[in-house]
Amino acid sequence: MASVVPPRRHSWSQTLQEPESTMVMVMSYGCPTSTKLTWILASLLILVRTIQVRAQLPKGFINIDCGWKNGSSYMDDVLGMPYTFDDEYVESGVSHEILPEFMADSENKQEITLRSFPDGPRNCYTLSSTTGKKYLLRATFTYGNYDTLNKTQDGSLFLFGLHIGVNFWATVNLSNWDPSRTVWKEVITVAPSNSLSVCLINFGSGVPFISTLELRPLLDAMYPFVNTSVSVSNFQRFRFGNVNRFITRYPTDYYDRWWDSFSLTVADYSSSMISLNTSNNLESLPGNSNFSVPSAILQNASTKDTNQSSITINVAAGPNLGANDLQLLPIFHFTETNMTNPNRRFDIYSKDVLMFPDFSPSHLQVHSMYKSGQFMQNADGYFFLNKTSSSSLPPLINALELYSLVRMDNLTTDSDDVNYMKQIKTYYKLARTSWNGDPCSPREYSWEGLICDHSKSNQNPRIVTVNLSTSGLRGGFAISFMNMTSLENLDLSHNNLTGAIPDYQLKSLKVLDLSNNKIDRPIPDSILQRFQGGLLDLRLEGNPVCSKVKDTYCSKKKKRIPILLIAVIVSVVLISLLVMMCILWKLCWKGKSVDNEDYAMYEEETPLHIDIRQFTYAELKLITNDFKTIVGKGGFGMVYHGTLENSDEVAVKVLMETSIADSTDFLPEVQTLSKVHHKNLVVLKGYCQNKKCLALVYDFMSRGNLQQLIRGGLSLII
């Protein structure tokens, strides 16, 4: 059995395989001028080849060094990738550096700086993307005790959340964590629009921060189970065989996925596993190229000694990963490297569930095995590869990817509304803490001053109200407001707006409050027509324009009541009167004819299978003398005194008619009380199961209840 242990901290220079064109050996010794010239020319040639390799960086890669204060980009010499500062991607936060004692041990320049977010519940990075395209997105977090508070080791909770767009992605838990070690999170997702956001969520258990953010475009055919409603977060990604780098990434993997070395992660690998490798070219089977795993990774494999029959892989959730709700999807990658005897067959299990029976890898052909869309409710990845009876060789494995489900249930705000709100934010230079990320979604993080319509569950939320009253707005009326086709209520009162209102017909707008500004231009005809037609509540009092106009929209005391509103009010009043008349008539009629109502038609024909009597409504009327004497009452209804045929006194508990439809406790109470017998408990004698009347019939306590005994001063004998 191979048990996985956390890898020790590493630098990219230890883990990245450099391309041959960038490997340079530097030697110092004396040599003739001609030899020196030769070396100079060779060095220049190598430099040119290095530049060519770096120039071939895949299109669409975005590398952000969070907190980097220098305004220019820099080239990471180990990775051959440019990294840029993050100011153009985020509007909030504070730049920091980790403490010097952690810098000295770090060879990763990107982990030296970070950006923290002490203000606001949500702070977001926004990256350019292509609508509908798949991306791999990775974030890293190196605390390095940047705030000198030693938060990762002071015994308190230190965690915060990550959202991909408007949906929860992962929790970053740094509680009891080595401040020098890096936590990284990775997700594969589909861009919902021309931008993709990553948001840090403050849970109130430590200030969120981030060290790096990287975006990698993927082919549309890759990871076919990822779509607009399903993303996946990387749980583990292993390459097998004898690999001496902790992490393999770009340029070995063109898409810069990080592959952990299984042989360096498992404590007893050398004594429990055998490494295989081949230098031959590999090919994917037709229809089996959904993952584009590099040949350099699949040319290595791990197996067992021939006298052993099983490989066990146990990938446990780390101590800082909440695993209770994990749903995992494994992807196994195989290719047969044995040239002489390829008779290898095995079953693949997830715990005790058989996933793939009698599987045989093809020689130098890549098989990628997974159950499409079948995420397992499993806190750990526990897999068995068991040799079948017909196989002459033990199982092998070349690579394994394990992903957890990220549901994309929340919809982003309508893209047009988002763009217009961003234009408004820029136009008025608004700096509101909550105006970060998506304006409407998730609801608990919607922008202050906005009301959104979420009523259509399968459609993007729309902005229906914008309230920017007393927001210090200066300048003209932003034209973007008039382009928001779902906007119903716009409040820009008590600001310093000048100029004119745009002459636009926004049919959805019902309320436009521009009172107490500095508007001095005439009101456009399109606005006046809607106002005069009763379709728009226009408020302009307190503006210079009202010194020239004496219409009702300029009056504080006399508000014009729109004709449409009057019509609605009148209609409501008339309907209310009709309803009241109907109710009064029904009550009067009921009072006269209640005795004649045939309750028998409402009796429940199927009795409960219990050993107590079922009363009819007519019988209840008889034994209570037409419900004459009330002996108690409560939220359920009334309790009436009654007398049975044998002169036994009973108390009849009648459920109010208005509560019958909502009652869920009646039948369980009948069934339970019919089975309970005790000398100190009142006996349930029967019940009435009428659709117009539900009732319980108990023995009558002639001396009152406990409350009456205590408060009424009656003698109590025990």
Side-chain angles (χ1 to χ4, degrees):
M1 176 175 176
S3 59
V4 176
V5 297
R8 59 182 181 272
R9 191 168 183 270
H10 49 265
S11 67
W12 307 144
S13 59
Q14 293 172 319
T15 61
L16 181 65
Q17 182 179 10
E18 291 289 330
E20 290 182 1
S21 58
T22 63
M23 295 179 65
V24 181
M25 180 178 290
V26 179
M27 303 180 68
S28 176
Y29 56 89
C31 59
T33 303
S34 59
T35 305
K36 288 183 179 179
L37 181 59
T38 302
W39 274 102
I40 291 172
L41 291 174
S43 299
L44 287 173
L45 178 60
I46 292 173
L47 178 61
V48 169
R49 294 179 65 187
T50 301
I51 293 172
Q52 288 176 341
V53 170
R54 288 177 175 172
Q56 295 170 3
L57 190 69
K59 183 180 179 181
F61 271 32
I62 296 178
N63 304 305
I64 303 173
D65 185 345
C66 303
W68 173 249
K69 297 179 182 179
N70 192 325
S72 60
S73 301
Y74 67 87
M75 183 67 70
D76 184 291
D77 293 329
V78 176
L79 295 176
M81 290 189 190
Y83 277 79
T84 185
F85 67 107
D86 60 352
D87 280 1
E88 61 182 284
Y89 301 100
V90 67
E91 298 178 356
S92 55
V94 183
S95 297
H96 298 277
E97 290 185 346
I98 62 176
L99 292 186
E101 56 262 37
F102 300 110
M103 290 185 193
D105 189 42
S106 175
E107 296 184 36
N108 311 325
K109 188 173 182 179
Q110 301 83 41
E111 303 303 324
I112 291 176
T113 60
L114 60 92
R115 181 177 290 269
S116 70
F117 300 93
D119 299 319
R122 176 178 67 167
N123 290 273
C124 302
Y125 282 79
T126 303
L127 287 66
S128 296
S129 61
T130 301
T131 304
K133 187 168 183 59
K134 289 179 184 174
Y135 290 91
L136 180 150
L137 197 147
R138 182 167 48 241
T140 68
F141 312 86
T142 304
Y143 174 61
N145 199 20
Y146 74 90
D147 53 6
T148 69
L149 298 177
N150 201 30
K151 290 294 294 181
T152 61
Q153 295 185 319
D154 66 359
S156 63
L157 274 180
F158 185 16
L159 51 86
F160 50 90
L162 290 178
H163 281 190
I164 178 69
V166 296
N167 291 279
F168 179 79
W169 164 14
T171 296
V172 179
N173 189 350
L174 297 166
S175 307
N176 302 313
W177 189 259
D178 181 348
S180 69
R181 294 181 62 188
T182 298
V183 173
W184 58 280
K185 301 290 183 179
E186 183 183 289
V187 67
I188 297 175
T189 190
V190 173
S193 63
N194 59 1
S195 65
L196 191 60
S197 63
V198 178
C199 302
L200 288 84
I201 309 300
N202 193 328
F203 289 159
S205 299
V207 176
F209 73 91
I210 185 171
S211 300
T212 68
L213 192 57
E214 299 171 339
L215 186 71
R216 309 289 185 248
L218 302 177
L219 296 178
D220 292 340
M222 295 175 68
Y223 300 95
F225 43 81
V226 174
N227 51 53
T228 54
S229 59
V230 172
S231 297
V232 291
S233 180
N234 179 41
F235 187 76
Q236 187 64 66
R237 191 183 289 119
F238 278 127
R239 61 175 301 191
F240 290 81
N242 186 18
V243 181
N244 58 7
R245 297 175 305 280
F246 277 103
I247 290 181
T248 303
R249 59 178 297 189
Y250 180 85
T252 301
D253 188 325
Y254 183 79
Y255 303 100
D256 197 26
R257 289 166 292 189
W258 289 9
W259 299 84
D260 288 339
S261 168
F262 189 79
S263 61
L264 294 179
T265 305
V266 175
D268 58 347
Y269 179 86
S270 60
S271 60
S272 62
M273 305 287 282
I274 295 174
S275 296
L276 304 175
N277 66 80
T278 180
S279 58
N280 293 310
N281 293 328
L282 307 179
E283 62 179 28
S284 293
L285 293 172
N288 203 258
S289 58
N290 292 329
F291 305 100
S292 300
V293 181
S295 293
I297 288 175
L298 296 175
Q299 286 170 334
N300 295 274
S302 295
T303 185
K304 288 282 190 175
D305 189 84
T306 53
N307 60 2
Q308 297 184 8
S309 60
S310 180
I311 294 177
T312 300
I313 304 171
N314 180 16
V315 185
N320 286 32
L321 179 63
N324 293 334
D325 299 324
L326 284 178
Q327 297 182 57
L328 300 180
L329 177 67
I331 307 169
F332 304 90
H333 302 289
F334 302 103
T335 187
E336 178 60 73
T337 60
N338 191 303
M339 298 284 290
T340 57
N341 182 17
N343 181 21
R344 193 189 306 271
R345 311 189 75 86
F346 50 92
D347 298 325
I348 304 172
Y349 285 85
S350 172
K351 286 192 173 180
D352 55 352
V353 177
L354 179 60
M355 298 184 68
F356 304 103
D358 197 28
F359 172 70
S360 178
S362 300
H363 183 240
L364 301 182
Q365 290 185 315
V366 179
H367 293 257
S368 294
M369 310 284 290
Y370 71 101
K371 293 286 189 180
S372 179
Q374 296 185 22
F375 289 84
M376 304 175 299
Q377 193 75 38
N378 192 352
D380 299 328
Y382 212 147
F383 307 106
F384 300 96
L385 280 61
N386 295 337
K387 174 183 173 183
T388 65
S389 58
S390 62
S391 177
S392 59
L393 293 174
L396 65 68
I397 183 169
N398 304 74
L400 169 66
E401 297 180 78
L402 193 56
Y403 294 97
S404 62
L405 174 64
V406 176
R407 296 189 181 278
M408 307 295 284
D409 296 333
N410 293 327
L411 296 176
T412 57
T413 305
D414 178 82
S415 58
D416 288 337
D417 284 359
V418 173
N419 291 332
Y420 292 134
M421 285 307 303
K422 287 181 177 178
Q423 292 171 13
I424 292 164
K425 182 179 178 181
T426 301
Y427 183 83
Y428 291 119
K429 299 180 181 178
L430 289 168
R432 291 191 170 186
T433 303
S434 69
W435 281 33
N436 235 303
D438 190 274
C440 298
S441 189
R443 298 190 191 196
E444 60 268 31
Y445 298 110
S446 60
W447 290 9
E448 178 187 359
L450 301 190
I451 296 178
C452 303
D453 180 9
H454 295 265
S455 61
K456 299 176 181 178
S457 58
N458 61 341
Q459 294 184 20
N460 302 84
R462 299 300 303 266
I463 298 172
V464 294
T465 295
V466 178
N467 185 351
L468 291 175
S469 177
T470 320
S471 296
L473 307 185
R474 295 180 179 275
F477 188 102
I479 195 68
S480 299
F481 286 123
M482 309 307 281
N483 291 321
M484 299 174 67
T485 56
S486 292
L487 187 62
E488 298 177 0
N489 191 323
L490 178 58
D491 187 350
L492 302 177
S493 62
H494 299 277
N495 286 294
N496 291 293
L497 298 180
T498 58
I501 305 172
D503 190 4
Y504 266 63
Q505 277 281 8
L506 185 58
K507 295 182 179 180
S508 63
L509 195 61
K510 299 176 182 177
V511 178
L512 177 58
D513 190 349
L514 295 170
S515 58
N516 298 292
N517 277 281
K518 296 180 179 179
I519 296 173
D520 57 0
R521 303 287 182 85
I523 309 304
D525 290 340
S526 59
I527 301 294
L528 285 177
Q529 288 172 6
R530 287 182 56 79
F531 168 74
Q532 292 165 355
L535 302 175
L536 177 66
D537 181 4
L538 179 63
R539 304 168 191 173
L540 283 171
E541 64 268 17
N543 283 278
V545 68
C546 287
S547 63
K548 308 169 187 177
V549 178
K550 300 302 180 183
D551 211 322
T552 53
Y553 54 75
C554 283
S555 172
K556 293 183 180 179
K557 296 181 181 179
K558 295 179 66 177
K559 293 280 186 178
R560 178 184 177 92
I561 301 176
I563 296 173
L564 182 62
L565 182 59
I566 293 175
V568 170
I569 293 174
V570 171
S571 300
V572 170
V573 170
L574 289 175
I575 292 172
S576 300
L577 288 173
L578 288 173
V579 170
M580 289 178 65
M581 291 175 63
C582 290
I583 292 173
L584 290 172
W585 176 82
K586 184 176 180 181
L587 288 174
C588 293
W589 178 85
K590 183 176 181 180
K592 296 178 180 178
S593 60
V594 66
D595 291 336
N596 300 322
E597 184 171 0
D598 185 9
Y599 270 74
M601 63 184 294
Y602 299 112
E603 297 293 341
E604 182 61 51
E605 296 180 359
T606 305
L608 299 176
H609 298 290
I610 52 180
D611 296 328
I612 58 174
R613 178 177 172 181
Q614 180 177 5
F615 292 86
T616 65
Y617 178 77
E619 289 173 326
L620 290 185
K621 286 187 65 176
L622 180 64
I623 66 177
T624 61
N625 193 18
D626 202 12
F627 302 103
K628 181 178 180 180
T629 305
I630 299 173
V631 295
K633 62 181 178 179
F636 56 86
M638 296 293 185
V639 180
Y640 300 91
H641 178 267
T643 305
L644 298 179
E645 301 89 339
N646 60 1
S647 299
D648 286 348
E649 291 184 285
V650 292
V652 181
K653 173 183 173 182
V654 180
L655 191 68
M656 287 190 303
E657 185 174 339
T658 56
S659 302
I660 290 175
D662 299 325
S663 175
T664 57
D665 298 329
F666 178 76
L667 294 181
E669 184 174 353
V670 172
Q671 292 169 331
T672 301
L673 293 177
S674 67
K675 301 174 184 178
V676 177
H677 302 282
H678 192 274
K679 63 180 182 179
N680 293 328
L681 293 178
V682 66
V683 176
L684 179 68
K685 286 185 169 292
Y687 67 98
C688 176
Q689 190 180 5
N690 187 294
K691 293 179 181 178
K692 300 283 283 185
C693 176
L694 299 179
L696 299 174
V697 181
Y698 293 94
D699 269 342
F700 178 67
M701 297 190 300
S702 60
R703 300 179 63 248
N705 58 29
L706 181 60
Q707 181 180 12
Q708 293 170 331
L709 288 171
I710 294 174
R711 296 185 177 180
L714 298 176
S715 60
L716 177 62
I717 301 174
I718 299 179

